[in-house]
Amino acid sequence: WIFKNRPQAFIAISIIIIFIIGINLYRRKNLVLYRVSLSLILSGALGNLIDRLRIGAVIDFLDFRIWPVFNIADSAITIGAILLAYAILFQKGNSINNQINLKNASDNL
């Protein structure tokens, strides 16, 4: 793994991602599903960051034997990412979708 012996890199990346998500949550107040998905990702990132700062590693404790071991923060990040993808790709009238479509349309001109 690239960052296996570099916990400082994970900490720095987590802080940057948390900051970016916080800005997006502040700016997009009218998009409920988008905000819920970012909140889940943010809470998972914060949970893993707290583990890294407190113990030096993330503790994975859910082991169902048929799936890789994970924790609740990982679940929040995964569910948030799935909801975010849905919000971006499939919600009609979504201003994110509209912004993407406008950018694509202007690129084609």
Side-chain angles (χ1 to χ4, degrees), residues 21-108:
I21 290 173
I23 290 171
N24 274 294
L25 280 170
Y26 179 75
R27 288 184 179 172
R28 298 202 184 358
K29 294 180 181 177
N30 59 336
L31 304 171
V32 176
L33 185 58
Y34 183 78
R35 289 177 56 84
V36 167
S37 64
L38 285 183
S39 296
L40 284 167
I41 295 169
L42 179 64
S43 63
L46 283 170
N48 283 340
L49 178 63
I50 289 168
D51 273 356
R52 281 194 185 91
L53 292 173
R54 195 171 54 94
I55 326 174
V58 173
I59 304 299
D60 292 329
F61 54 86
L62 299 173
D63 187 2
F64 295 107
R65 307 277 183 220
I66 57 171
W67 199 263
V69 181
F70 62 98
N71 61 32
I72 293 173
D74 297 338
S75 299
I77 292 169
T78 302
I79 293 167
I82 291 168
L83 288 175
L84 181 61
Y86 177 83
I88 290 171
L89 295 174
F90 300 113
Q91 279 198 317
K92 301 232 186 274
N94 185 340
S95 69
I96 296 168
N97 227 350
N98 292 339
Q99 289 172 6
I100 292 169
N101 290 337
L102 288 174
K103 179 168 180 3
N104 290 340
S106 66
D107 289 344
N108 292 333

Side-chain angles (χ1 to χ4, degrees), residues 11-23:
I11 291 170
I13 291 168
S14 295
I15 290 170
I16 292 167
I17 290 171
I18 288 167
F19 181 73
I20 291 168
I21 290 173
I23 290 171

